[in-house]
């Protein structure tokens, strides 16, 4: 056994003096060399050079007990001599670098190519020739005005690319800046306990200096290098530096070296800081990495150049060889590039799995791109074919070489139209919408106490189907107080008065609480007068310290009498022990040990118990059962955490025990008392859990607490409800069920447990990781489960890493847990997780809203351009007009629709899941429905507008003619329809009230208004570049009226239930599960999809059933009063008797119908309303009502 009390040599006695010496007796290099030594080498070096740690303290002018004196001069001298505890961050990417990265987007590359082609073709000007010999259409080809404005087309496309790239790069830059700001904020909030001037103080990590004496404890991420002064069962995870996963035990004589960046996994202690910042081991590695960056970049460039040279050389050799092969065999041999080993090169695999949303968007963008390419190709082919047929067959003109430049210009014009169709088809606003939506959400989530560390966690949380939550601090307030106690054989329902407790028992209780709670845990005076005392450190220990204060005893007096350095041995709390024990050495050579821990575990190790007189008596198995049944279980059933306090004396006559034999040491205890600690449920948690359950998210509690306590808290929270058929089990039972005879975990066994499991008590971090992995890997349900996990402890790291989204506690969480997480809850509150779900779903819905709007515009614009070009050999919407619609409106729309704030309505539906398409059937119905209205309106104006509005026809005007009112009205109406449809696009589930919450989004309102103003300016003052003429007030009113018709038409579209439109297809799927038949997938889609038209239909049917039943009941009552005997009922029978319709009880039938409809899952087709069983000779008017109900239920909402 290693005696862990600190030791100071004779030369260490000078440590407290001579602080003002101008120089230190040890250099930075000497300390660096010391810290590079490992394990026993380091201990031997300290012993050889300094005598012991006290000698090193003397050289650094510090005290192992009182630390630095804390004067400004001394601190400044140390900063100058040994440096600050700050590692300069890696240089951020420049704005130009981010612009280059944004340019790599496939969608933008297509736009760049289109822009270059358009510009090149607009600058091409063939020599003039006699056009009358080249066909009828040739007369209008040479148009100076069009030629002058031709560059606008290419420039507008380039402008769209520049706009998207700059906005994306700016968003990336601001995002990086934001995260650097958040990182610095986290660093500013990170404080560490050091001893200065004999007082324990919290200082910023960046202010820790060489010579500081720092207190380290379980869960800490060490901020600097140091040497152990005193340790209690200290174990450190050094895998971040060494790669070894085993925890390293730290002791004074074997391995006292503590390195920055490593994690304290167990125990506590004090260390002397010997290296900070760039001089620490972590700092040295970071410095090397930073210096190597430039070298690596240069080497990469050289390697790339060399590879290119080699490839060119190989290519030349390959071509030579092919020529030889051709000359020999007459057939070219197919060659494949080989790597150095002569094997075929393998395709590059994706580095990282894409998130759900990224995968669906990528697939959808490719599909849209292919469709756009196909349409543009078909347009060009049809235009060229029509031109050729008209010129060479209908007009019968011969091919004349002097007309070739004219023909080329025609083909150039056709190609520009084709490129315009392609540009319109490709949704360049999509990447912008995603970027804006995510950046906006992350910024807003910060205000909702969610610090997002990984951006994709934001949208992944929207798909969460399960949350595995801790109890303490997340579901509860983490402010613990002792409210019940079992002392001296008596159960006190409230804290007893001190005079009721025997003096000896009180002394043992005070001693046990004082020394067996971490010395960093304390109760401080309230910040505000009349407020609650502040609890610092472990909250369970704070409750015990508060208990001693309630008993009018001061624990600090005990700590002053027995400072931490005098503790002989400490068995710190961990998830295996479930207890903590501290050993004191008595003056007579004996030892006394105080223990505290889980009552059901520690009581089994007690063989005695203190009585009312303060004497110890035998504590047999029967007595233990009695205490468990009458004290522990009643406390636990009230949601109290039960802690047992005990002690043990080791007489000097027995000799020194084997301290490493924990099983023997932690036995034969004497029970002092059992306390019940209350940790109230956060008032907002039950409502938050109800919202989760309504949103289709299963909440499970995973806790290390007693199963009765856990069950009681679960009932209070709403995780469990009385009468539920769900499982509550302990970790031991969980492991028994999921493991086979060879003690191996089987997925099949986990699948039998997890669907019904709601509470896992007395669980270890390994159990939590096993549960999370089991749920994620399960294939019991069609949809792959998306699991979120909360954790605060160091050992929660693996579960947080494994989960789809890991939430770490910002207040109670350890540095290790925060590092493993995706999102940090800055208030440790479960209700903040619900807000994260809302924001995640809002991101998904925002993208869907934008897609619904974008695709409606694209479908209509492409069809109009394609049809118009094929019929009139020119597009009704000019290229610049199309680009205004495509660029400005889409960019603005992405900003408007991607910044919609989330609402509670998002929690009324089930999670979308990984296979749910981005574009649902309801959205497809909206896209096609509005597309039909817009196409009918546009084509009516195009082919009959001149007659309806009494204006000149612009269809057959020569190409060099000035812009016409006719085509301006077509363009203006088209834009205004998009503007009003943008309001429709705010709702994607068929809701009727599209204005709901519109004023909660000022960005949306301002964008719609500004778009209208810009459109007015373009039409009235745009002139020839925009192919517009100013319109009169009457013409404007007609355009606005037709645009406003989109809103009215939207009400018609939303009335049609999606379930009636089975022929509609969805788009934007994730990875499909091929093993599921299509019919089942369709059924799943219907079940998951919200359709408000369907809801209204069902609501109308339910209300009709109620109305008809009421009428029928009233009619039955009237008939019974007139002809009771004719109905076959007793003369005085009531309306609850037999029904007038044979075999049917009307009241029962009504209730059953309503219950059946209300309990049916959302989206399932309602059963057809059958009123045939109401038709009896005495209910002559009901058949008519039955028919009416069928008709009206389809179209009327009576709610």
């Amino acid at each position: 056994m290693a005696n862990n009390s600190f030791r100071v040599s004779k030369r260490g006695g000078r440590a407290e003096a001579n602080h003002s010496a101008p120089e230190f007796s040890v250099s930075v290099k000497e300390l660096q060399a010391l810290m590079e030594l490992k394990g026993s080498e380091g201990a031997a070096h300290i012993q050889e050079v300094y005598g012991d740690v006290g000698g090193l303290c003397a050289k650094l002018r510090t005290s192992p007990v009182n630390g630095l004196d804390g004067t400004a001069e001394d601190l400044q001298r140390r900063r100058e001599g040994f440096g600050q505890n700050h590692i300069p961050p890696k240089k951020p990417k420049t704005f130009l670098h981010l612009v280059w990265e944004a340019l790599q987007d496939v969608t933008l590359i297509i736009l760049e190519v289109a822009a270059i082609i358009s510009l090149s073709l607009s600058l091409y000007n063939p020599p003039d020739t006699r056009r009358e010999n080249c066909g009828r259409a040739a007369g209008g080809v040479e148009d100076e005005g069009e030629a002058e404005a031709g560059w606008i087309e290419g420039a507008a496309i380039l402008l769209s690319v520049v706009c998207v790239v700059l906005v994306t790069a700016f968003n990336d830059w601001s995002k990086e800046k934001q995260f650097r700001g958040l990182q610095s904020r986290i660093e500013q909030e990170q404080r560490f306990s050091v001893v200065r001037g004999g007082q324990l103080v919290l200082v910023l990590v960046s202010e820790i200096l060489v010579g500081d004496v720092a207190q380290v404890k379980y869960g800490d991420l060490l901020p600097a290098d140091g040497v152990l002064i005193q340790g209690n069962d200290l174990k450190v995870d050094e895998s971040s530096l060494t790669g070894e996963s085993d925890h390293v035990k730290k002791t004074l004589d074997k391995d006292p070296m503590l390195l920055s960046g490593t994690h304290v996994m167990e125990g506590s202690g004090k260390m002397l800081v010997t290296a900070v910042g760039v001089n620490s081991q972590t700092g040295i590695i970071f410095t090397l990495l930073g210096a190597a960056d430039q070298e690596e970049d240069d080497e990469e460039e050289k390697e790339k150049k060399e590879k290119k040279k080699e490839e060119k050389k190989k290519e030349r050799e390959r071509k030579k060889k092919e020529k030889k092969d051709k000359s020999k065999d007459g057939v070219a041999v197919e060659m494949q590039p080989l790597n150095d080993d002569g094997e075929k090169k393998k395709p590059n695999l994706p580095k990282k799995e894409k998130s759900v949303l990224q995968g669906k968007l990528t697939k959808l963008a490719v599909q849209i791109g292919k469709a756009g390419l196909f349409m543009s190709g078909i347009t060009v082919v049809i235009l060229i074919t029509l031109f050729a047929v008209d010129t060479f067959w209908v007009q019968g003109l011969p091919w004349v070489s002097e007309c070739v430049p004219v023909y080329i210009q025609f083909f150039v014009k056709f190609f520009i139209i084709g490129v315009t169709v392609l540009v319109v088809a490709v949704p360049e606003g999509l990447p912008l919408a995603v970027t804006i939506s995510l950046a906006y959400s992350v910024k807003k989530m910060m205000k909702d106490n969610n610090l997002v560390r990984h951006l994709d966690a934001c949208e992944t949380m929207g798909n969460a189907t399960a949350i595995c939550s801790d109890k303490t601090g997340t579901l509860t307030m983490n402010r613990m107080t002792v409210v019940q106690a079992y002392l001296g054989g008596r159960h006190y329902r409230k804290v007893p008065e001190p005079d009721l407790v025997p003096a000896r028992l009180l002394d043992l209780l005070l001693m046990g609480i004082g020394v067996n709670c971490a010395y960093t845990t304390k109760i401080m005076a309230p910040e505000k007068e009349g407020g609650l005392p502040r609890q610092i450190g472990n909250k369970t220990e704070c409750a015990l310290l508060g208990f001693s204060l309630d008993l009018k005893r001061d624990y600090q007096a005990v700590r002053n009498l027995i400072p931490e350095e005098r503790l002989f041995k400490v068995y710190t709390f961990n998830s295996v022990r479930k207890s903590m024990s501290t050993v004191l050495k008595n003056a007579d050579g004996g030892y006394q040990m105080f223990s505290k821990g889980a009552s059901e575990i520690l009581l089994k190790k007690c063989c005695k118990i203190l009585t009312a007189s303060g004497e110890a008596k035998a504590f047999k198995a029967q007595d233990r059962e009695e205490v468990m049944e009458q004290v522990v279980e009643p406390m636990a059933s009230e949601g109290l955490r039960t802690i047992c306090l005990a002690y043990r004396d080791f007489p000097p006559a027995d000799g020194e025990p084997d301290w490493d034999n924990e099983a023997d040491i932690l036995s034969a205890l004497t029970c002092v008392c059992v306390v019940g600690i209350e940790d109230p449920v956060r008032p907002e948690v039950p409502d938050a859990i109800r919202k989760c359950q309504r949103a289709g998210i299963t909440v499970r509690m995973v806790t290390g607490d007693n199963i009765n306590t856990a069950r009681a808290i679960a009932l209070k929270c709403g995780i469990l409800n009385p009468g539920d058929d769900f499982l509550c089990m302990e970790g031991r039972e969980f492991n028994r069920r999921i493991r086979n005879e060879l003690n191996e975990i089987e997925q099949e066994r986990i699948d039998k447990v997890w669907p019904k499991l709601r509470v896992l008590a007395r669980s270890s971090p390994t159990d939590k990781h096993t549960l999370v992995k089991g749920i994620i890997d399960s294939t019991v349900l069609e949809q792959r489960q998306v699991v979120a996990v909360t954790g605060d402890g160091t050992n929660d790291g693996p579960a947080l890493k494994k989960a789809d989204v890991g939430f770490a506690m910002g207040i109670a969480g350890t540095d290790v847990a925060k590092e493993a997480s995706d999102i940090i809850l800055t208030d440790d509150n479960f209700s903040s997780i619900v807000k994260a779900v809302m924001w995640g779903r809002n991101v998904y819905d925002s993208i869907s809203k934008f897609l619904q709007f974008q695709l409606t515009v694209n479908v209509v614009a492409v069809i109009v351009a394609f049809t118009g070009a094929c019929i009139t050999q020119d597009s009704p919407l000019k290229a610049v007009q199309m680009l205004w619609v495509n660029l400005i409106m889409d960019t603005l729309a992405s900003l408007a629709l991607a910044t919609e704030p989330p609402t509670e309505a998002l929690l009324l539906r089930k999670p979308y899941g990984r296979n749910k398409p981005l574009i649902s059937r309801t959205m497809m119905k909206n896209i096609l429905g509005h597309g039909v209205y817009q196409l009918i309106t546009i084509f009516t104006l195009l082919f009959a507008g001149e007659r309806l509005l009494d204006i000149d026809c612009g269809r057959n005007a020569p190409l060099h003619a000035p812009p016409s009112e006719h085509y301006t009205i077509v363009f203006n109406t088209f834009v205004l329809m998009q503007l009003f449809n943008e309001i429709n696009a705010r709702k994607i589930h068929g809701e009727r009230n599209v204005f709901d919450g519109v004023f909660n989004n000022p960005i949306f309102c301002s964008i719609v208004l500004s778009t209208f103003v810009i459109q007015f300016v373009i039409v009235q003052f745009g002139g020839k570049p925009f192919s517009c003429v100013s319109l009169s007030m009457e013409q404007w009113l007609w355009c606005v009226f037709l645009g406003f018709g989109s809103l009215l038409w939207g009400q018609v579209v939303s009335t049609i239930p999606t379930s009636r439109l089975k022929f509609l297809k969805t788009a934007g799927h994730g990875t499909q599960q091929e093993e599921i038949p299509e019919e089942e997938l369709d059924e799943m889609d219907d079940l998951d999809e919200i359709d408000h038209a369907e809801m209204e239909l069902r609501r109308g049917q339910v209300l009709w059933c109620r109305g008809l039943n009421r009428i029928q009941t009233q009619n039955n009552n009237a008939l019974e009063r007139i002809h009771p005997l004719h109905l076959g009922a007793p003369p005085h029978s009531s309306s609850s008797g037999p029904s007038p319709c044979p075999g049917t009880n009307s009241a029962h039938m009504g209730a059953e119908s309503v219950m059946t409809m209300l309990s049916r899952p959302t989206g399932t087709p309602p059963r057809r309303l059958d009123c045939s069983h109401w038709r009896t000779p005495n209910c002559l008017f009901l058949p008519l009502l039955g028919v009416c109900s069928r008709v009206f239920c389809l179209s009327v909402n009576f709610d």
Side-chain angles (χ1 to χ4, degrees), residues 465-736:
T465 56
I467 298 173
C468 295
S469 174
D470 279 345
K471 176 179 73 67
T472 306
T474 311
L475 300 174
T476 60
M477 294 176 73
N478 203 21
R479 183 176 180 83
M480 301 195 187
T481 49
V482 173
V483 293
Q484 293 186 28
Y486 179 73
L487 283 161
R490 185 177 169 189
H491 186 182
Y492 295 93
R493 294 287 175 179
K494 60 180 184 179
V495 177
E497 292 298 319
D499 52 6
L500 297 175
V501 183
R504 183 169 183 272
L505 195 153
L506 202 57
D507 290 341
L508 283 167
L509 186 63
L510 180 64
M511 181 68 76
I513 290 173
V515 300
N516 196 34
C517 289
Y519 277 46
T520 51
T521 302
K522 56 184 78 174
I523 304 289
M524 304 286 284
E527 288 180 342
K528 295 178 182 176
E529 194 175 341
L532 293 169
R534 285 182 295 151
Q535 295 185 340
I536 295 172
N538 183 284
K539 303 304 179 192
T540 305
E541 293 182 342
C542 284
L544 295 173
L545 296 177
F547 181 47
S548 71
L549 295 175
D550 291 341
L551 291 170
K552 308 294 188 289
R553 295 291 187 275
D554 184 13
Y555 66 87
Q556 193 57 47
V558 174
R559 291 182 172 183
N560 293 339
L561 185 67
I562 307 171
E564 193 173 5
E565 293 77 23
R566 282 188 54 194
L567 303 180
F568 180 78
K569 172 78 176 171
V570 179
Y571 297 94
T572 54
F573 179 90
N574 63 29
S575 57
V576 178
R577 289 189 187 119
K578 298 285 187 188
S579 65
M580 174 181 175
S581 302
T582 301
V583 182
L584 301 176
K585 188 168 185 177
N586 300 329
D588 61 0
Y591 300 92
Q592 190 173 37
M593 182 179 74
F594 293 95
S595 297
K596 71 171 188 293
S599 53
E600 67 268 32
I601 293 172
L602 222 54
L603 282 173
K604 288 177 183 176
K605 299 177 181 181
C606 292
C607 64
K608 293 179 182 177
I609 188 166
L610 294 181
T611 61
S613 62
E615 299 299 320
K617 72 164 188 175
F619 189 57
K620 298 175 183 176
Q622 186 180 346
D623 300 326
R624 188 184 302 116
E625 291 300 321
E626 194 176 315
V627 171
M628 287 296 294
E629 288 176 9
Q630 296 181 8
V631 179
V632 175
E633 287 179 9
M635 284 183 181
S637 63
E638 293 177 33
L640 304 182
R641 169 178 283 187
T642 58
I643 300 291
C644 175
L645 301 172
Y647 78 99
R648 180 182 176 183
D649 287 321
F650 296 90
D654 294 347
E656 185 163 339
D658 178 8
W659 299 111
D660 291 331
N661 186 355
E662 282 189 40
D664 182 53
I665 297 294
L666 209 65
S667 62
L669 303 177
T670 302
C671 176
V672 177
C673 78
V674 176
V675 294
I677 299 174
E678 182 182 46
D679 186 11
V681 172
R682 290 180 183 267
E684 63 273 22
V685 162
D687 185 50
I689 287 176
R690 274 195 298 274
K691 287 176 182 174
C692 281
Q693 290 166 344
R694 194 168 63 229
I697 302 168
T698 303
V699 181
R700 293 179 176 86
M701 181 198 291
V702 184
T703 178
D705 220 331
N706 178 300
I707 190 165
N708 293 320
T709 307
R711 187 186 288 113
I713 296 294
L715 284 165
K716 288 181 181 178
C717 292
I719 292 173
L720 292 174
N721 292 303
D724 281 350
D725 181 26
F726 291 128
L727 292 175
C728 295
M729 64 173 65
E730 291 187 337
R732 188 171 59 252
E733 172 66 12
F734 175 69
N735 275 289
R736 189 185 65 76

